[in-house]
Amino acid sequence: MVILPNADFDINVDVVIQNPPFGTKEQHADCEFLKKAFELAPVIYSFHKNSTKNYIIQFGKSHGFFVKSRISHPPSKRAKSTTKGLSNELKSAASDFLKSFKYTLLLAIAKNG
């Protein structure tokens, strides 16, 4: 695991796991982290506010990525979380982590192709 300021990291990796700022103080601050993650890895696990789900999905599409699965807390009443392709251990760990936050979403984002 490597923890560095966003701009200082430029090594290609297999997976990025990040908890970017949610953009509540500075709108779309999380997008700068996603852009960097898109440069570094074909798969990204990223935490976001539930309310930004559609924006983040579109943002990923515009950069050649798609949301492979998602886990939300509290669970959405309108849509089921999609966890296909996630290990049981990751589902459990993500669910436990998300319970400590209100209205949080974990997205598994993968590069198209």
Side-chain angles (χ1 to χ4, degrees):
M1 177 185 289
V2 177
I3 300 172
L4 292 172
N6 198 23
D8 293 341
F9 195 83
D10 63 355
I11 300 167
N12 289 337
V13 295
D14 295 326
V15 176
V16 169
I17 301 171
Q18 65 180 9
N19 185 12
F22 285 163
T24 54
K25 293 182 183 178
E26 183 180 331
Q27 190 173 18
H28 304 305
D30 48 355
C31 292
E32 291 304 313
F33 284 76
L34 281 171
K35 284 182 197 175
K36 187 65 172 184
F38 294 155
E39 294 173 14
L40 301 175
V43 176
I44 299 114
Y45 293 94
S46 191
F47 293 94
H48 299 274
K49 289 174 53 179
N50 271 334
S51 63
T52 64
K53 177 185 72 176
N54 291 335
Y55 178 83
I56 297 298
I57 290 170
Q58 286 306 117
F59 185 81
K61 282 182 183 177
S62 72
H63 287 82
F65 283 75
F66 70 98
V67 173
K68 184 175 177 182
S69 58
R70 67 182 184 270
I71 300 173
S72 61
H73 182 80
S76 171
K77 293 178 183 174
R78 288 182 273 163
K80 294 180 182 176
S81 292
T82 57
T83 58
K84 185 177 180 180
L86 296 181
S87 70
N88 287 335
E89 293 82 12
L90 181 56
K91 289 178 199 176
S92 177
S95 179
D96 289 346
F97 180 80
L98 291 174
K99 287 176 186 173
S100 64
F101 298 94
K102 266 190 164 180
Y103 311 110
T104 306
L105 178 69
L106 169 64
L107 298 175
I109 305 168
K111 191 170 197 162
N112 285 328

